[in-house]
């Protein structure tokens, strides 16, 4: 028996998928049972890297999702529409879906998984987070018995590349972004990457799997890397940290009793990571996801977070999982019996803590007049709001302005913000250019 696929999109990832399907030798024997039934493209005339028989190509994507001969629809067109509608139509036609589309799943996962469960089909998305890194399937299966405490990831290659170069070259964000764009490491419109939106989509998906509940994307706190400066990276380095854009999902704990709470912290922001931490040495475009749970302890997944081949590897692994069930008759098409280790079964929404309540260490860089009493004022304002200082250094001068860097002990974010608001009211404090969280 062969399993017939309809491919929506023959771009970078679609081409990688086609290459695997057209060259099955020395891969899992099931790969040779996969057949490209139809391939949806934007233009029939475009020169292609892969030899697809021309009769398989079509620009009619609606016809693919409605084709009764196809078992699985592989959605690789990206973007929100028509991807969302095509996925829903495929589900309503009783087809299983494999997608790499984190934006659609993070926004419309509720609608899509409800429809999939009603139709008794699977929607698998290994490629949506971490490119070629297997992390979705492990969270569903191999780590499923664990009580997960935290998922912390470097899940955006573009920002990791930019921050790595800033670290290595001592350069500022803007010129390195422009160079990354010229070299093809960053998009012409870099917003989704550098403002943390891509990472927010990905941590929403990981959190949903790790903590078994749906996530409202609007509740993920999101801060990008535009404001990270060469000065911050240099200070962080002297203090024993590197700066990474982290996507964090963790079960909140009570700051007093340390009891685990029901609420989750969900946040994406540049973070000072201690140099000895496993995520600190993940550089360039690589991604890594650290999962912490009971009883596993810590396990880290590392690898290529994007690219044609790696992402195609994740896509075809999902296809293979479904094909394995279809060919072994575990799942009859339309039988509505789903393997709970592959399907999405949760329906409630996770509760998310407001950022004001989150407890963290902070790095604060202040510009102040270099005169008696300024550091005293900083200490006083922090103390007034119960912010305990771990270290304070004044290293560089910018003209007659002193640069003061403070690292705090763990403090509730609202207290830190109150202390900073008080400080901003003093004439001797010129500016607070950086406030970064410390892991
Ligand atoms: N734009 C993403 C990144 C790759 O830079 O990691 C696709 O998820």
């Amino acid at each position: 028996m062969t399993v017939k696929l309809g491919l929506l999109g023959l771009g970078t990832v679609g081409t990688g998928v086609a290459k695997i399907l057209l060259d099955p030798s020395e891969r899992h024997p099931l790969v040779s049972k996969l057949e490209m039934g139809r391939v949806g493209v934007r233009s029939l005339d475009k020169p292609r890297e892969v030899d697809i028989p021309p009769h398989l190509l079509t620009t009619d994507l609606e016809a693919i999702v409605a084709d009764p001969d196809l078992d699985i629809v592989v959605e690789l067109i990206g973007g929100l529409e028509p991807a969302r509608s095509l996925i829903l139509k495929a589900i309503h036609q009783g087809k299983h879906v494999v997608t790499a589309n984190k934006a659609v799943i993070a926004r419309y996962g509720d609608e899509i998984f409800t429809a999939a469960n009603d139709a008794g089909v699977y929607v698998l998305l290994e490629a949506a987070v971490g490119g070629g890194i297997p992390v979705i399937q492990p969270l569903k299966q191999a780590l499923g018995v664990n009580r997960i405490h935290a998922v912390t990831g470097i899940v955006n290659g573009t920002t990791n590349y930019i921050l790595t170069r800033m670290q290595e070259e001592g350069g500022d964000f803007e010129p390195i972004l422009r160079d990354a764009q010229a070299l093809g490491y960053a998009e012409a419109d870099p917003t989704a990457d550098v403002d943390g939106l891509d990472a927010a989509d990905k941590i929403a998906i990981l959190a949903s799997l790790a903590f078994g509940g749906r996530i409202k994307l609007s509740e993920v706190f999101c801060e990008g890397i535009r404001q990270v400066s060469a000065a911050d990276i240099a200070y962080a380095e002297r203090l024993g940290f590197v700066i990474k854009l982290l996507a964090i999902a963790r079960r909140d704990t009570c700051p007093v009793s340390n009891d685990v709470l029901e609420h989750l912290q969900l946040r994406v922001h540049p973070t000072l990571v201690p140099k000895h931490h496993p995520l600190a040495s993940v550089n360039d475009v690589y991604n890594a996801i650290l999962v912490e749970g009971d009883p596993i302890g810590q396990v880290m997944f590392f690898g290529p977070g994007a690219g044609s081949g790696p992402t195609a590897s994740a896509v075809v692994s999902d296809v293979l999982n479904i094909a394995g069930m279809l060919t072994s008759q575990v799942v009859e098409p339309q039988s509505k019996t789903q393997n709970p280790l592959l399907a999405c079964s949760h329906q409630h929404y996770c509760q998310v803590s407001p950022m004001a309540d989150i407890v963290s260490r902070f790095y604060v860089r202040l510009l102040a007049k270099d005169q008696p009493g300024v550091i005293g004022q900083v200490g006083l304002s922090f103390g007034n709001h119960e912010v305990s200082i771990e270290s304070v250094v004044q290293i560089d001068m910018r003209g007659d302005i002193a640069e003061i860097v403070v690292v705090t002990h763990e403090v509730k974010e609202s207290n830190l913000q109150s202390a900073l608001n008080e400080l901003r009211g003093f004439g001797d404090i010129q500016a607070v250019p950086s406030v970064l969280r410390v892991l």
Side-chain angles (χ1 to χ4, degrees):
M1 176 188 172
T2 59
V3 174
K4 277 194 155 180
L5 316 183
L7 236 62
L8 303 178
L10 197 56
T12 311
V13 180
T15 300
V17 168
K19 282 183 182 167
I20 295 174
L21 299 178
L22 293 170
D23 178 21
S25 71
E26 294 166 54
R27 309 188 198 279
H28 192 285
L30 256 183
V31 178
S32 62
K33 306 274 183 218
L34 305 174
E35 185 185 330
M36 267 187 288
R38 297 182 91 174
V39 181
V41 293
R42 210 176 292 158
S43 152
L44 295 176
D45 309 322
K46 197 177 153 189
R48 311 258 166 219
E49 254 185 73
V50 272
D51 250 344
I52 309 277
H55 71 276
L56 296 182
L57 295 176
T58 174
T59 55
D60 187 354
L61 304 187
E62 299 273 345
I64 295 183
V65 296
D67 186 336
D69 271 358
L70 302 177
D71 303 297
I72 303 174
V73 166
V74 182
E75 184 276 306
L76 302 172
I77 53 179
L80 296 181
E81 286 293 355
R84 168 186 155 273
S85 303
L86 289 165
I87 289 172
L88 287 168
K89 283 181 186 158
I91 291 169
H92 291 136
Q93 294 291 323
K95 296 185 193 319
H96 304 285
V97 173
V98 171
T99 179
N101 197 326
K102 69 230 145 198
V104 161
I105 296 296
R107 282 162 191 76
Y108 303 112
D110 191 354
E111 181 184 27
I112 287 170
F113 288 108
T114 300
N117 291 344
D118 290 347
V121 298
Y122 296 108
V123 175
L124 302 188
L125 52 130
E126 185 63 69
V129 182
I133 305 172
V135 62
I136 302 279
Q137 211 68 325
L139 279 173
K140 285 182 179 177
Q141 299 184 359
L143 295 174
V145 299
N146 285 272
R147 194 172 295 130
I148 305 293
H149 305 313
V151 178
T152 310
I154 294 173
V155 288
N156 183 269
T158 305
T159 45
N160 204 35
Y161 173 82
I162 293 171
L163 289 172
T164 303
R165 280 198 47 194
M166 288 172 72
Q167 173 92 30
E168 285 169 356
E169 297 166 23
D172 259 317
F173 170 77
E174 281 294 341
I176 290 181
L177 168 65
R178 280 194 295 277
D179 198 42
Q181 287 171 312
L183 293 168
Y185 288 106
E187 306 268 353
D189 176 0
T191 312
D193 293 317
V194 301
D195 292 334
L197 310 173
D198 172 82
D201 287 352
K202 291 168 176 169
I203 197 66
I205 292 171
L206 292 177
S208 176
L209 292 162
F211 299 105
R214 293 184 176 173
I215 302 289
K216 292 192 184 104
L217 185 60
S218 58
E219 293 185 337
V220 181
F221 173 82
C222 184
E223 186 180 297
I225 65 163
R226 287 184 200 266
Q227 83 287 14
V228 177
S229 65
D232 293 319
I233 292 192
Y235 277 120
E237 160 94 41
R238 287 190 219 184
L239 294 165
F241 298 97
V242 292
I243 298 183
K244 295 287 183 192
L245 182 71
L246 294 191
I248 300 171
R250 68 168 45 245
R251 224 181 255 296
D252 222 347
T253 48
C254 169
V256 181
S257 66
N258 237 14
D259 286 344
V260 176
L261 304 172
E262 269 313 299
H263 292 221
L264 298 183
Q265 297 182 12
L266 285 179
R267 45 200 174 98
V268 171
H269 49 71
T271 313
L272 273 73
V273 179
K275 282 183 190 166
H276 56 77
H277 189 279
L279 288 167
S281 51
V282 176
N283 287 324
D284 301 314
V285 293
Y286 284 97
N287 283 196
I289 299 110
L290 178 71
V291 180
E292 294 168 79
D294 176 31
I296 184 91
Q298 292 191 327
V299 57
M300 191 160 101
F301 301 85
F302 166 85
S308 174
T311 312
S313 157
V315 168
V316 183
S317 81
D318 278 344
V319 170
L320 223 53
N321 261 308
I322 299 172
M325 287 184 288
L326 293 176
T327 53
S328 64
Q329 308 297 312
V330 174
V331 170
E332 294 282 357
Q334 308 282 337
S335 74
K336 305 212 171 187
T337 314
Q338 289 178 297
N339 175 345
L341 292 179
L342 282 181
C344 168
S345 52
H346 49 251
Q347 285 172 9
H348 70 285
Y349 276 88
C350 294
Q351 288 184 296
V352 178
S353 303
M355 281 305 281
D357 289 351
I358 282 171
V359 172
S360 168
R361 288 160 75 205
F362 284 87
Y363 157 102
V364 179
R365 182 163 58 92
L366 303 152
L367 298 181
K369 288 189 187 143
D370 191 24
Q371 56 190 37
V374 169
I375 289 199
Q377 187 57 57
V378 172
L380 206 59
S381 293
F382 277 35
N384 285 344
H385 297 274
E386 292 174 44
V387 181
S388 172
I389 292 176
E390 183 181 292
S391 69
V392 51
V393 286
Q394 179 181 327
I395 301 171
D396 280 343
M397 295 291 294
R398 298 182 173 231
D400 58 350
I401 297 297
E403 202 161 39
I404 301 168
V405 168
V406 180
V407 176
T408 72
H409 285 294
E410 288 205 322
V411 57
K412 210 161 129 178
E413 176 133 357
S414 54
N415 290 38
L416 190 271
Q417 293 301 348
S418 304
L420 292 179
N421 284 342
E422 183 178 314
L423 267 183
R424 286 186 183 105
F426 290 101
D428 290 348
I429 305 294
Q430 301 271 300
V432 185
S434 305
V435 180
L436 297 170
R437 294 165 192 84
V438 179
L439 193 64

